[in-house]
Amino acid sequence: MLALVAAGSALLALPGAVALSPPPAAGPDNPPVVGITRPSPSAVDQGVALDTLPPQPVPGRLVIDAIGLDAVIEPVDVADDGSLATPESASRVGWFSQSSRPGELGPAVFVGHLDSVDGPAVFARLRDLVVGDVLRVGGADGSWASYVVSAVDRYPRESFPTEAVYGATPESSLRLITCGGPFERGTGYADNVVVAATPVGG
């Protein structure tokens, strides 16, 4: 289960086994979540006009053999309360539809539950990944793209590195996010696990 996550200028809220407090109201100390949207890399930053890049398929499946994961991906967006929505099914991975698609410049951001009322969820073993593990993303058109884990980090939710996770990158990349750290009833998990990956051979 992923608890309320203060992500700098963002909140990431995933419901789970234990009822969570609603996200705090936006204000000076808690800005609304619009800041989690990935800044679009500009032609100046990347040296290429984005409209000349070939369109990539919507991601539909995530396979990570190292942790026995083979899951359906579905698009998610920002919810009405300003949190990042997630799939209702704990067995599915959410792709933040305002982030890049795999194969495009910038990070494709994926989110999933750690656990649920029924036990371990889709990202239960995400923290077990190590640098060098391979991830494969299947597109809706039947294509596949391979990425290699470049970092596995855990951040306190009060100091989530929003720009580092959602910010523009000079190449295609993946970011996978779930809960981590100690759990407290009523407040949820204290941390977030974030896995970064870059294209194989990139």
Side-chain angles (χ1 to χ4, degrees):
M1 179 181 68
L2 193 56
L4 296 178
V5 179
S9 62
L11 286 177
L12 181 61
L14 289 80
V18 178
L20 301 174
S21 301
D29 297 325
N30 182 44
V33 183
V34 293
I36 66 174
T37 302
R38 178 184 62 84
S40 296
S42 68
V44 174
D45 293 337
Q46 303 300 341
V48 62
L50 293 183
D51 59 8
T52 67
L53 297 175
Q56 298 298 314
V58 170
R61 196 163 200 92
L62 177 64
V63 176
I64 311 176
D65 291 333
I67 57 174
L69 188 151
D70 185 346
V72 171
I73 297 170
E74 64 181 54
V76 296
D77 209 325
V78 177
D80 291 341
D81 65 0
S83 63
L84 182 57
T86 56
E88 291 185 8
S89 171
S91 65
R92 292 195 170 201
V93 174
W95 163 64
F96 182 35
S97 60
Q98 295 184 42
S99 70
S100 297
R101 298 179 183 185
E104 296 177 344
L105 294 179
V109 178
F110 297 91
V111 64
H113 295 280
L114 176 66
D115 56 19
S116 71
V117 292
D118 298 316
V122 64
F123 277 173
R125 295 187 58 200
L126 195 69
R127 63 188 175 190
D128 296 332
L129 290 175
V130 297
V131 173
D133 283 339
V134 174
L135 298 73
R136 292 183 292 134
V137 182
D141 63 351
S143 63
W144 288 87
S146 296
Y147 291 77
V148 61
V149 174
S150 57
V152 180
D153 296 300
R154 198 175 87 186
Y155 302 102
R157 64 189 187 192
E158 293 83 3
S159 55
F160 188 88
T162 304
E163 183 60 29
V165 173
Y166 295 97
T169 61
E171 62 179 359
S172 174
S173 60
L174 303 184
R175 302 287 188 268
L176 284 67
I177 310 170
T178 194
C179 287
F183 176 84
E184 292 187 13
R185 186 173 296 275
T187 59
Y189 288 94
D191 303 328
N192 276 121
V193 173
V194 178
V195 172
T198 55
V200 169

